[in-house]
Amino acid sequence: MTQLETIRNFSIIAHIDHGKSTLADRFLQMSGAVPEREMREQFLDSMDLERERGITIKAQTVRIHHRGTDGTVYHLNLIDTPGHVDFGYEVSRSLYACEGALLLVDAAQGIEAQTLANALLAVEADLELVPVINKIDLPSAEPERVAEEVESLIGLPAEDCLMISAKTGEGVDELLAAIIERVPSPKGDVRAPLRALVFDSHYDQYRGVVTNVRIMDGTLGTGDSLVLMASKTEVSADEVGVYTPLPRSVATLGPGEVGYLVPGLKSVAEAKVGDTVTTRARGADEPLPGYKEPHPVVFCGMYPAEGQDYSELRDALERLHVNDASFTWEPETSGALGFGFRVGFLGLLHMEIIRERLEREYEVTIVATAPTVEYQVLTAGGDQLVIDNPSLLEPGFEEIREPYVEATFLLPAEYLGTVLELCQGRRGVQTKLDYVSEDRVELDYHMPLAEIITDFFDVLKSRTRGYASFDYEPLGYRPGDLARVDILLNGEPVDAFSSIVPKDRAYRYGRRMVEKLRELIPRQLFDVPIQAAQGGRIIARETVKARRKDVLAKCYGGDVTRKRKLLEKQKEGKKRMRSIGRVEVPQEAFISALRIDRD
Amino acid sequence: MYVHVPFCSARCGYCDFAAFEGMDDLIPDYVDAVVEEIGSRVPVEASTVFVGGGTPSVLPPEQLARLIGSVPRRQGAEVTVEMNPESATVEILEAARAAGATRVSMGMQSALPHVLGYLDRAHRHDTLESAVRRARRVGFEHLNVDLIYASPVESDADWRRTLESTVALGPDHVSAYALGIEPATPLGVEVASGAKEGPDDDVAARRLEMAVGALASAGYVRYEISNWAQAVPCVHNLRYWSLGSYVGVGSGAHSYAPSSGTDPEPIDRRAGGLRTWNHRHPRRYMAAMRQDGVAVAEGERVAGDTALLEWLSLGLRRSCGVELSHEELGHVPEVLFEAGLVEVGASNGRPDSEPQEMHKGRLALTTKGMSLANAVVTELSLAFGEC
Ligand SMILES: Nc1nc2c(ncn2[C@@H]2O[C@H](COP(=O)(O)OP(=O)(O)OP(=O)(O)O)[C@@H](O)[C@H]2O)c(=O)[nH]1
Ligand SMILES: C[S@@+](CC[C@H](N)C(=O)[O-])C[C@H]1O[C@@H](n2cnc3c(N)ncnc32)[C@H](O)[C@@H]1O
Ligand SMILES: [Mg+2]
């Protein structure tokens, strides 16, 4: 157990790529937590996916020791968080385990949309914010200007900003001193009944569910008999420990400490992030407030690539859910794809990441349908329906409402025209245009969420060469003039290809879809008509002409082996196709057909 | 027995066979090595012999005669020698004939100069015509010409003229192949890089239909996807398609020994057999023969689904198709019939008897099915693999 006064718990928060994980590297290195020869860049980004994409997806917790100028050894518990908008839930959960947050700002880029959004989360969680200007080593760094921005946009005095380079280590000593000085030590009553917040969890192949906990009151010791208050499950503390960054078991965790608990759960479904752990004897009466349930906004169908893997996919979803409770899933059936799941996500990147993690960590191959939002439908009969699968929208409804968001952009003034044009084309309504400085603009738009879950991010990024940042908040539902467009293959509608689009775009959308599918669907033994239909009317048509030649030249000199290998390859290729009626459709058609560029 | 001659005076840009130019100084030692291999490998008399290449006609006549003469063979065996028009001299034709060759196969490819040019061929059509006349004078009744269609420089009219010239020449056998682009050839590289245009599948399909029509009306019978004969097919090639045993000698030659009996086709379609192949480069081949007296580089045992796939893909190349049991016929995917790609005939060859009443029947590709043989074979092998 550690003295409260020597503990500092803080998160590192920032816009994407402003250097959070690199700063964590310096902390790990300077405290000697990671030996020099094991050190690598963004050490805490341990998932392959994180390293490949160069981004943090999962928050990571580490405890380091630091001797302060007064000679005291402090226990610093840092949580490195992700910066991308889709992972805001990951950040907010981390904040509840802390008393302070380092708000990192790139000295060259200045304040960006997620800087604001994350700062707001920290303020709401009542944390001490320490503004830190990073990357001062860059030739294009303008730390003074950025400090002014911190003052004008976030309301923290410019002179409170620390100037550092997470890359060179410059200023990091001073930052450590500031953390000890400014971040309050945790409060908590060691004699009170145990109350520990489960702020994260993951599934470990050997130990089962591992939860990350922050002790608020009381003590948690190895072997204790415990209760998870929300799920009313009795467990025992098989192991208690801290991340150094490798897990190291300890006898007890006391108030203010952050560590992990292996509760020996039988079912992974019982581990709920936000739950409160207490002791069975003399337990706490009131659980901690817990978390708001995250609300998925993007949905897609996920189907096992081969039908028989349905139960494997279910197990994979269940286990991944332990590590990321922010996606939702429920069974659904598709005429085209068979048995699968409707899965909800916090955004498009979140969807991609979940899909890739399922495939990599659980070795299931997935066919995913196009992302969609959740619609509210008022039927002619007066029923209220919620629809997250376009094929379920019956024509003849009274009204359809779609989710809107308030989108906030921060961008250099030179890209203003480009971004205005982009938002206009996506049914956006401008609500704010502010010059936050001479050459930086803040823009607010009300936009249908459906407009930003396709290629919006990519288009924004490429048109502004990455200089515009963007964040969004849900705004509720508004009526839309929308229609369902169906795709028919060989005369049969394919539910997995149905989509809900603005009526005035239905024709163009249908045209693009059939053209794209004509490219993606290989020629078959007969002509395959591809049609787009809206309300029973065909609005576009293409044909994949029947294959006319598919034959090998002779097997000269009896070399049968090579020709046979070609046939075996063809056979494998055929197995990877989905048969829809008699049409063979490659798996990638389901997702890439819907990535159609709308501009 | 297949005897490989890997030498060519110039290599064609499309060719992916074990053929080499500028190595003629190796010929005497190479022929020695092959003669030795023949002696070491044939326990029985061959019923067919095929001397292919490369270009066997670039050999000095006495060397070609030595090769042919060293193969022990049955009375009346079919003995084919492949020749290029420009090197099919009276001397080499006579030497082949005297050594026992019964059949000559000429690489005609096309009758048109610009198509022959695209294919890197050294001859012109009149060269071929006189070579055919010489072959006949020397006494060869059985004569094949090889054609290549659908090169991008060829028009429908060009192909029609090639077909007309072929019919006018009147060989008793014709092989016609769609130009295949092999990645590891000069042409393959040019097509991949976009420097040269490749053939178009739809065009090739149309040209094949033209060939089917023209050759049929001239009295040729299509007995295999790419082969037509007036009366006598190439028995040697039929052996490959029936999965009979064969011994290949020389560099890069393949051999096959079926595991089960053949009657005349495999009795057990999944039994498969042993396939081996010799070192591909002549120097490697000769070194192996010199050191070990064996030239086999590698091999594979074919069995199970793989054997089934080979049986289907080879057997269905023939117009007579493959014999299936009543139960197997029931597993043939309906779509193949609907698309008009396969048909069922009586086992005895009488197409009029009702399939339902038969215990077994022959499944054969239709003309349309022959153009889509790969697709049919893939469908069938998946359907049969599951049952
Ligand atoms: N020059 C310079 N580059 C830096 C500095 N800090 C970070 N970087 C670079 O900035 C990029 C992003 O750094 P990360 O540490 O991955 O950023 P992050 O904030 O953790 O990013 P996310 O987790 O994806 O939100 C990397 O290429 C780092 O090398 C710095 O002080 N100076
Ligand atoms: C192995 S070659 C050699 C025969 C001989 N040297 C000649 O050129 O006539 C036998 C035949 O295969 C055919 N062939 C070879 N490569 C081909 C290809 N890439 N595409 C189509 N046919 C090909 C040609 O018709 C050729 O005549
Ligand atoms: Mg990071």
Side-chain angles (χ1 to χ4, degrees):
Chain A
M1 224 184 344
T2 314
Q3 287 296 313
L4 280 175
E5 303 73 49
T6 65
I7 301 176
R8 298 291 182 275
N9 297 315
F10 61 94
S11 293
I12 312 177
I13 59 177
H15 189 75
I16 193 161
D17 272 353
H18 280 199
K20 297 174 290 294
S21 302
T22 306
L23 176 59
D25 287 350
R26 293 295 81 73
F27 287 152
L28 290 176
Q29 209 173 18
M30 292 168 72
S31 66
V34 176
E36 210 56 49
R37 68 195 143 77
E38 283 169 30
M39 199 60 208
R40 53 177 186 174
E41 278 175 32
Q42 287 95 39
F43 185 90
L44 295 180
D45 290 345
S46 50
M47 247 189 268
D48 287 346
L49 208 53
E50 294 182 309
R51 303 205 67 80
E52 279 164 32
R53 293 186 176 229
I55 57 167
T56 304
I57 295 167
K58 276 299 292 179
Q60 290 287 342
T61 304
V62 197
R63 172 190 286 205
I64 57 174
H65 299 283
H66 177 71
R67 188 176 293 277
T69 41
D70 58 357
T72 316
V73 174
Y74 287 91
H75 303 268
L76 308 184
N77 201 88
L78 69 91
I79 305 181
D80 177 26
T81 66
H84 192 278
V85 51
D86 284 12
F87 306 122
Y89 180 65
E90 194 73 16
V91 180
S92 66
R93 277 190 294 108
S94 308
L95 295 177
Y96 282 98
C98 300
E99 281 73 39
L102 308 189
L103 179 68
L104 231 57
V105 190
D106 186 313
Q109 306 237 297
I111 289 192
E112 305 264 22
Q114 268 81 50
T115 320
L116 288 179
N118 287 329
L120 203 65
L121 287 177
V123 171
E124 278 170 6
D126 221 5
L127 301 195
E128 179 67 32
L129 258 186
V130 180
V132 182
I133 312 242
N134 184 30
K135 307 199 189 180
I136 56 168
D137 60 300
L138 287 176
S140 53
E142 295 179 81
E144 276 72 38
R145 185 183 64 78
V146 174
E148 287 307 318
E149 277 186 12
V150 168
E151 182 157 334
S152 63
L153 286 170
I154 300 178
L156 296 170
E159 61 271 19
D160 284 2
C161 292
L162 288 125
M163 305 289 177
I164 68 157
S165 163
K167 192 168 189 173
T168 65
E170 187 184 346
V172 178
D173 274 325
E174 291 81 349
L175 174 57
L176 281 164
I179 291 168
I180 290 166
E181 194 189 305
R182 297 196 212 166
V183 174
S185 57
K187 294 175 194 54
D189 184 352
V190 71
R191 278 171 302 273
L194 171 69
R195 287 205 302 175
L197 174 70
V198 177
F199 67 91
D200 203 354
S201 62
H202 65 273
Y203 188 84
D204 180 293
Q205 211 183 329
Y206 304 103
R207 299 186 292 179
V209 175
V210 179
T211 57
N212 291 1
V213 290
R214 155 73 198 260
I215 315 294
M216 296 300 178
D217 291 313
T219 60
L220 171 60
T222 306
D224 286 356
S225 300
L226 306 169
V227 185
L228 296 175
M229 295 180 78
S231 67
K232 299 196 175 61
T233 310
E234 299 200 340
V235 296
S236 65
D238 289 355
E239 188 184 329
V240 171
V242 293
Y243 295 103
T244 68
L246 292 176
R248 188 168 58 79
S249 64
V250 298
T252 348
L253 288 173
E257 289 193 276
V258 173
Y260 67 86
L261 158 71
V262 180
L265 278 174
K266 279 175 265 342
S267 147
V268 293
E270 291 160 354
K272 248 187 133 53
V273 168
D275 208 338
T276 303
V277 183
T278 190
T279 46
R280 236 176 279 175
R282 216 176 69 87
D285 301 328
E286 282 291 310
L288 296 161
Y291 297 122
K292 270 191 295 192
E293 288 275 331
H295 191 67
V297 290
V298 177
F299 298 81
C300 79
M302 285 193 170
Y303 293 83
E306 272 146 45
Q308 64 270 30
D309 294 337
Y310 173 81
S311 61
E312 277 171 46
L313 178 55
R314 194 195 46 222
D315 289 352
L317 283 163
E318 207 165 64
R319 290 188 173 178
L320 186 57
H321 200 256
V322 176
N323 192 226
D324 182 352
S326 63
F327 71 88
T328 57
W329 51 287
E330 57 186 48
E332 74 168 8
T333 315
S334 152
L337 298 171
F339 292 107
F341 300 92
R342 180 81 358 200
V343 191
F345 312 91
L346 301 182
L348 203 60
L349 178 67
H350 190 214
M351 172 177 117
E352 277 176 34
I353 298 289
I354 292 294
R355 183 194 160 148
E356 278 203 42
R357 288 188 68 186
L358 286 168
E359 296 206 323
R360 286 174 188 222
E361 295 170 31
Y362 301 96
E363 290 171 7
V364 287
T365 317
I366 292 168
V367 179
T369 63
T372 171
V373 298
E374 201 165 48
Y375 296 91
Q376 294 177 345
V377 179
L378 182 66
T379 67
D383 290 330
Q384 286 273 5
L385 301 178
V386 173
I387 285 191
D388 58 12
N389 179 344
S391 70
L392 301 177
L393 177 67
E394 298 290 345
F397 49 82
E398 199 56 45
E399 185 183 70
I400 181 162
R401 298 159 67 85
E402 61 179 323
Y404 269 67
V405 294
E406 167 154 27
T408 306
F409 301 84
L410 275 174
L411 55 135
E414 56 181 301
Y415 294 112
L416 183 59
T418 311
V419 176
L420 290 179
E421 197 188 335
L422 175 63
C423 293
Q424 228 67 51
R426 305 286 175 123
R427 298 189 283 149
V429 177
Q430 199 189 94
T431 55
K432 182 172 170 189
L433 195 167
D434 249 6
Y435 276 80
V436 294
S437 69
E438 218 166 273
D439 50 4
R440 271 171 83 74
V441 182
E442 186 189 332
L443 260 184
D444 281 8
Y445 263 91
H446 289 181
M447 269 206 270
L449 176 61
E451 297 288 340
I452 60 175
I453 62 162
T454 49
D455 54 353
F456 187 76
F457 251 122
D458 296 341
V459 175
L460 178 70
K461 235 170 134 179
S462 73
R463 294 214 192 150
T464 63
R465 299 178 35 232
Y467 282 113
S469 63
F470 157 69
D471 187 59
Y472 64 88
E473 287 276 322
L475 203 64
Y477 278 74
R478 296 184 183 177
D481 195 14
L482 308 174
R484 189 180 94 194
V485 174
D486 292 323
I487 300 294
L488 291 77
L489 286 186
N490 215 15
E492 294 292 324
V494 180
D495 56 1
F497 283 139
S498 293
S499 185
I500 295 173
V501 300
K503 266 196 191 128
D504 57 0
R505 272 196 226 148
Y507 174 76
R508 205 174 53 169
Y509 171 82
R511 192 61 272 135
R512 294 254 166 110
M513 264 304 272
V514 297
E515 280 167 10
K516 184 83 187 187
L517 284 171
R518 194 204 47 208
E519 283 165 30
L520 288 169
I521 294 176
R523 298 172 67 175
Q524 326 247 324
L525 296 176
F526 41 85
D527 283 355
V528 178
I530 306 171
Q531 294 159 301
Q534 184 207 326
R537 214 165 44 84
I538 302 297
I539 53 174
R541 183 193 163 107
E542 287 284 336
T543 305
V544 177
K545 294 302 256 174
R547 214 173 339 158
R548 289 188 59 199
K549 175 182 170 279
D550 180 13
V551 56
L552 296 170
K554 66 170 175 178
C555 323
Y556 189 79
D559 179 0
V560 175
T561 308
R562 228 179 72 205
K563 307 281 178 198
R564 189 196 68 226
K565 295 217 161 117
L566 290 175
L567 283 170
E568 279 168 348
K569 228 165 109 185
Q570 189 165 349
K571 214 169 128 181
E572 281 314 305
K574 200 181 139 64
K575 279 197 203 151
R576 280 195 304 273
M577 299 271 183
R578 277 276 167 175
S579 298
I580 298 185
R582 273 172 30 190
V583 184
E584 285 169 5
V585 181
Q587 317 270 26
E588 48 303 352
F590 292 95
I591 193 78
S592 40
L594 303 134
R595 282 269 160 101
I596 48 178
D597 177 17
R598 303 111 103 6
D599 303 274
Chain B
M1 167 167 288
Y2 174 78
V3 184
H4 191 68
V5 178
F7 308 105
C8 279
S9 48
R11 214 187 144 139
C12 307
Y14 57 81
C15 173
D16 190 30
F17 295 107
F20 301 85
E21 57 181 59
M23 285 199 191
D24 293 1
D25 50 329
L26 296 184
I27 289 176
D29 289 344
Y30 179 81
V31 174
D32 286 348
V34 177
V35 169
E36 189 193 330
E37 195 191 4
I38 292 169
S40 73
R41 289 193 57 181
V42 180
V44 290
E45 294 178 331
S47 54
T48 67
V49 183
F50 196 103
V51 185
T55 314
S57 52
V58 300
L59 294 180
E62 66 283 3
Q63 296 287 18
L64 178 62
R66 254 183 88 206
L67 275 185
I68 300 172
S70 62
V71 183
R73 55 184 181 264
R74 282 192 207 149
Q75 188 76 45
E78 173 196 278
V79 182
T80 308
V81 181
E82 238 173 19
M83 298 204 181
N84 275 25
E86 69 278 8
S87 51
T89 59
V90 176
E91 292 75 28
I92 194 99
L93 283 161
E94 279 176 344
R97 182 89 195 142
T102 61
R103 213 176 157 260
V104 170
S105 172
M106 293 268 189
M108 167 174 164
Q109 322 307 2
S110 169
L112 289 123
H114 68 281
V115 179
L116 290 170
Y118 175 91
L119 295 174
D120 294 338
R121 301 296 294 186
H123 71 273
R124 292 188 327 190
H125 187 54
D126 53 3
T127 327
L128 184 267
E129 285 174 324
S130 45
V132 167
R133 275 197 299 274
R134 280 194 296 278
R136 289 204 168 114
R137 262 206 314 277
V138 167
F140 284 104
E141 302 164 43
H142 299 302
L143 208 64
N144 168 60
V145 295
D146 282 340
L147 302 176
I148 295 183
Y149 57 89
S151 28
V153 299
E154 181 190 68
S155 67
D156 282 355
D158 292 342
W159 177 232
R160 193 177 310 285
R161 278 193 53 197
T162 294
L163 288 168
E164 283 163 5
S165 308
T166 305
V167 170
L169 275 171
D172 74 329
H173 192 286
V174 177
S175 304
Y177 307 110
L179 175 64
I181 300 299
E182 303 292 338
T185 59
L187 182 61
V189 171
E190 284 174 318
V191 170
S193 72
K196 257 193 190 167
E197 207 189 330
D200 177 282
D201 272 359
D202 285 354
V203 170
R206 193 170 67 230
R207 302 272 156 80
L208 177 55
E209 282 162 25
M210 290 168 65
V212 169
L215 293 171
S217 46
Y220 292 88
V221 176
R222 188 186 194 186
Y223 69 96
E224 192 261 356
I225 288 178
S226 321
N227 286 284
W228 287 259
Q230 282 177 338
V232 190
C234 175
V235 185
H236 180 84
N237 281 340
L238 276 172
R239 226 183 157 79
Y240 294 149
W241 301 315
S242 318
L243 280 166
S245 70
Y246 52 86
V247 174
V249 297
S251 61
H254 286 239
S255 303
Y256 182 65
S259 303
S260 84
T262 44
D263 178 36
E265 300 186 28
I267 297 161
D268 176 357
R269 289 74 173 271
R270 293 175 188 268
L274 178 67
R275 203 182 292 290
T276 57
W277 47 92
N278 286 351
H279 290 292
R280 188 173 159 100
H281 196 281
R283 285 189 209 281
R284 229 13 252 290
Y285 166 80
M286 285 154 61
M289 280 309 296
R290 204 166 42 240
Q291 281 158 24
D292 314 325
V294 195
V296 172
E298 259 183 285
E300 60 170 355
R301 188 162 286 286
V302 181
D305 280 356
T306 316
L308 188 83
L309 181 65
E310 285 193 354
W311 168 69
L312 284 170
S313 68
L314 294 171
L316 281 170
R317 294 186 69 92
R318 304 166 305 180
S319 320
C320 63
V322 292
E323 192 165 80
L324 297 181
S325 68
H326 185 58
E327 198 206 332
E328 285 170 325
L329 282 172
H331 286 296
V332 175
E334 203 50 40
V335 58
L336 297 179
F337 291 104
E338 283 168 27
L341 303 179
V342 294
E343 58 195 7
V344 173
S347 184
N348 59 14
R350 272 191 302 119
D352 49 4
S353 57
E354 282 290 305
Q356 289 90 322
E357 295 164 14
M358 301 181 310
H359 291 298
K360 45 187 180 176
R362 294 200 76 92
L363 183 79
L365 297 175
T366 59
T367 303
K368 192 174 166 202
M370 285 200 166
S371 297
L372 290 166
N374 290 355
V376 176
V377 168
T378 332
E379 289 278 351
L380 279 176
S381 76
L382 283 170
F384 288 178
E386 279 159 18
C387 64

